[in-house]
Amino acid sequence: DSGVTQTPKHLITATGQRVTLRCSPRSGDLSVYWYQQSLDQGLQFLIQYYNGEERAKGNILERFSAQQFPDLHSELNLSSLELGDSALYFCASSVRAVVSGNTEAFFGQGTRLTVV
Amino acid sequence: GENVEQHPSTLSVQEGDSAVIKCTYSDSASNYFPWYKQELGKGPQLIIDIRSNVGEKKDQRIAVTLNKTAKHFSLHITETQPEDSAVYFCAASRGDSGYSTLTFGKGTMLLVSP
């Protein structure tokens, strides 16, 4: 158990809908990262928050947004869903804002989103 | 931005054989190279990492080598066991030198047959 909790584990929704994925980081971790994993693209970085502030942005669509709350949990909002958004969405957390030999990123078990 | 290429995409070996997975990266400023193992239904888990000031690092049956000049690094697993079967991801980041999110390769599915 990595200590990173993601809910829900599975989500099935229709095209055009909006969903919210939730992540609780490990106790004491200030940084949260969101990744999208699809079969052909591997792990794609979406966005990072550190202590409530957006720190880095990757290949995140405009239909997607995220935030980190004062209690450090984070939510990823996906709207106007399309079939191609079906994927595993992972959250990771780390103590510091940078991932290096001194700071490990711990991943949750993911949320599997299926858009039908 | 950083681009990480990983090969092969699938690798099948017999139990006891060695397995090698190779990655190349594009950003010469990258200085931290972790490897993650993802078992079915789970999130990626760090198994070994290497910094750019080191050429090789070993931890029991796994080792990682880094060639900064050629911008490639490899994961070596010796005496493979069925429980080594998983998807392995390499990654690269600039570590403490600034923008430091991990860029991942597309993964290698390792199958170890008994």
Side-chain angles (χ1 to χ4, degrees), chain B residues 90-112:
Chain B
C90 62
S93 84
R94 290 187 174 187
D96 291 321
S97 60
Y99 184 77
S100 63
T101 57
L102 293 169
T103 300
F104 285 85
K106 291 190 177 181
T108 296
M109 180 175 290
L110 174 65
L111 301 170
V112 181

Side-chain angles (χ1 to χ4, degrees), chain A residues 13-62:
Chain A
T13 190
T15 54
Q17 294 299 304
R18 171 190 167 96
V19 297
T20 298
L21 312 184
R22 182 187 170 102
C23 169
S24 294
R26 290 190 330 146
S27 177
D29 284 0
L30 299 178
S31 192
V32 170
Y33 313 79
W34 286 97
Y35 283 85
Q36 180 190 57
Q37 185 178 37
S38 56
L39 277 175
D40 58 343
Q41 291 297 320
L43 279 160
Q44 294 284 311
F45 168 67
L46 296 178
I47 197 164
Q48 177 196 6
Y49 279 82
Y50 178 75
N51 204 20
E53 299 290 325
E54 181 184 306
R55 176 167 171 88
K57 218 168 192 176
N59 301 320
I60 188 165
L61 300 171
E62 284 192 11

Side-chain angles (χ1 to χ4, degrees), chain B residues 19-69:
Chain B
V20 180
I21 303 170
K22 299 182 179 181
C23 289
T24 60
Y25 62 98
S26 61
D27 185 357
S28 56
S30 288
N31 57 17
Y32 175 63
F33 308 93
W35 286 87
Y36 287 81
K37 176 183 181 183
Q38 185 178 17
E39 296 175 332
L40 198 61
K42 297 185 178 180
Q45 183 176 10
L46 180 71
I47 56 171
I48 194 167
D49 56 12
I50 191 167
R51 293 203 225 183
S52 59
N53 58 350
V54 175
E56 183 174 357
K57 184 176 177 181
K58 196 171 181 181
D59 183 4
Q60 299 182 358
R61 295 186 298 108
I62 60 173
V64 58
T65 58
L66 171 66
N67 183 326
K68 278 213 76 178
T69 304

